[in-house]
Amino acid sequence: MADKRRKRVTEFIEPFRVRPGSEVTLGKDFDPAFKAGVKKKQGVALLAEGVRLLSEYQARLAAQDTWGVLVVLQAMDTAGKDGTIRHVMSGVNPQGVAVHSFKVPSAEELDHDFLWRYAQRLPARGQIGIFNRSHYEEVLVVRVHPENLDRQKLPKAARKGDIWRRRYREINNWERYLSDNGIRVVKLFLNVSKEEQRARLLRRIDLPTHNWKFSAADVAERERWDDYQQALSEMLSNTSTEWAPWYVIPADRKWFERIGAGAVLVHALMEINPRYPSVSKQQRETLLEVKQALEAQAPKGAAPDPFEQGQAAGDTGDAKRRDG
Ligand code: AMP
Ligand code: MG
């Protein structure tokens, strides 16, 4: 059952995966409207299954306290990063997740090396961390708008030669270090088309409740669409690695985007396969001694172990027993 499900998820996400070493041309190689033959109606059940699995795996991840998961989300404006986070993580215990949004760097951040601010926000073991924008902005917006690089106060030598190639290498090495040390890196690029972006920008103008989301800066960035597609293609070609591959998620249909993103995250957790820690024989014996002592404290007429009794009757929840 579990094996079958894992196989199904692996096959489902395969078309999104950027094969390490492959040369990507985003506009040609990935269709933003792809939906893997899934109908929107079926999509509801699939997303519900994904949300349930994530909740289950997240509980085990936290209990095991060995692996952390870093989800890197990149996308063009309006592609649906926020909605994807909201829907995919809707079933997960908020204590186990932290979302960090990266904006224009502060003066303090610019006073450090370029990976510093991202390293500050890494998830701990047992935690899922989500980067809403990430260290990849350092080879995207910084590349498309080189004035960002001017603000980074780099020594002359660090700007010589092909700085982007060097950054790809540095990012790959950093992610390798993280995965070697128990922080699994899951990278999602939410791929929206230029035409769908146009429609979504108009929607933000047309719907008064969405006006707040509209930013003139997004329209200015849209003017640079081709430059971003070029920078994105190079990023995907150079930073999809065996230890941290990129997944390009079709984003023109929001319902499919959420299923796709959820499936990649579920798949990563399936590979980690975290387990609840088991106790040693000695710990178990101690537990049984305490159990005996607690049972001896039962007031007159009470079951020595109400939980054990409930379990025999098919009741597993303590809240239910208290209500009944
Ligand atoms: P938003 O995510 O829409 O709130 O916008 C955040 C803005 O911060 C975007 O315009 C990003 O391009 C910008 N941004 C994020 N990271 C960097 C960075 N490292 N350098 C310059 N701008 C950045
Ligand atoms: Mg924005």
Side-chain angles (χ1 to χ4, degrees), residues 78-277:
T78 76
K81 292 196 300 311
D82 301 286
T84 298
I85 295 171
R86 187 155 39 90
H87 282 83
V88 172
M89 303 313 279
S90 59
V92 165
N93 178 356
Q95 290 215 67
V97 189
V99 184
H100 300 286
S101 298
F102 292 98
K103 314 262 177 193
V104 177
S106 69
E108 186 191 18
E109 288 166 347
L110 288 170
D111 246 348
H112 290 267
D113 60 277
F114 83 95
L115 288 175
W116 180 80
R117 68 168 179 162
Y118 309 99
Q120 305 276 307
R121 302 278 180 263
L122 287 171
R125 299 191 194 286
Q127 295 268 313
I128 299 177
I130 301 178
F131 281 3
N132 184 349
R133 301 186 190 272
S134 69
H135 47 297
Y136 283 99
E137 291 294 339
E138 304 292 338
V139 294
L140 294 171
V141 68
V142 177
R143 184 171 189 179
V144 174
H145 298 282
E147 59 275 21
N148 288 303
L149 194 60
D150 297 337
R151 283 190 212 108
Q152 293 192 352
K153 304 203 225 168
L154 292 166
K156 252 200 193 124
R159 293 194 58 160
K160 273 216 292 245
D162 192 341
I163 181 167
W164 310 116
R165 249 170 216 288
R166 199 159 61 237
R167 285 200 168 182
Y168 296 144
R169 190 191 71 219
E170 287 157 353
I171 288 173
N172 287 342
N173 287 344
W174 187 55
E175 291 176 355
R176 170 143 216 178
Y177 158 81
L178 292 176
S179 35
D180 281 350
N181 285 279
I183 306 299
R184 173 76 189 242
V185 186
V186 180
K187 303 191 297 207
L188 305 174
F189 175 69
L190 307 180
N191 191 25
V192 76
S193 67
K194 195 175 184 189
E195 175 52 15
E196 179 61 20
Q197 187 195 58
R198 190 177 72 89
R200 289 186 190 175
L201 286 169
L202 282 167
R203 189 165 178 268
R204 289 180 179 187
I205 295 172
D206 294 342
L207 292 178
T209 53
H210 285 56
N211 284 171
W212 66 273
K213 280 197 201 177
F214 182 83
S215 150
D218 292 353
V219 180
E221 288 307 272
R222 180 177 165 79
E223 301 275 316
R224 306 294 301 274
W225 183 273
D226 292 343
D227 298 326
Y228 273 107
Q229 295 292 301
Q230 177 65 32
L232 283 162
S233 298
E234 281 192 39
M235 173 196 85
L236 293 167
S237 308
N238 286 283
T239 60
S240 200
T241 54
E242 293 295 345
W243 54 91
W246 272 107
Y247 290 87
V248 177
I249 311 293
D252 273 7
R253 293 181 174 87
K254 287 185 180 175
W255 63 267
F256 187 79
E257 171 180 31
R258 289 160 192 165
I259 298 166
V264 174
L265 185 48
V266 164
H267 180 257
L269 285 159
M270 283 174 160
E271 285 198 324
I272 296 174
N273 195 18
R275 291 171 190 283
Y276 288 112

Side-chain angles (χ1 to χ4, degrees), residues 5 39 51-52 57 60 66 73 191 219 233 240 277 297:
R5 181 188 283 141
K39 295 209 176 68
V51 167
R52 188 183 58 74
Y57 274 110
R60 279 157 55 180
T66 302
L73 272 182
N191 191 25
V219 180
S233 298
S240 200
Q297 291 169 26

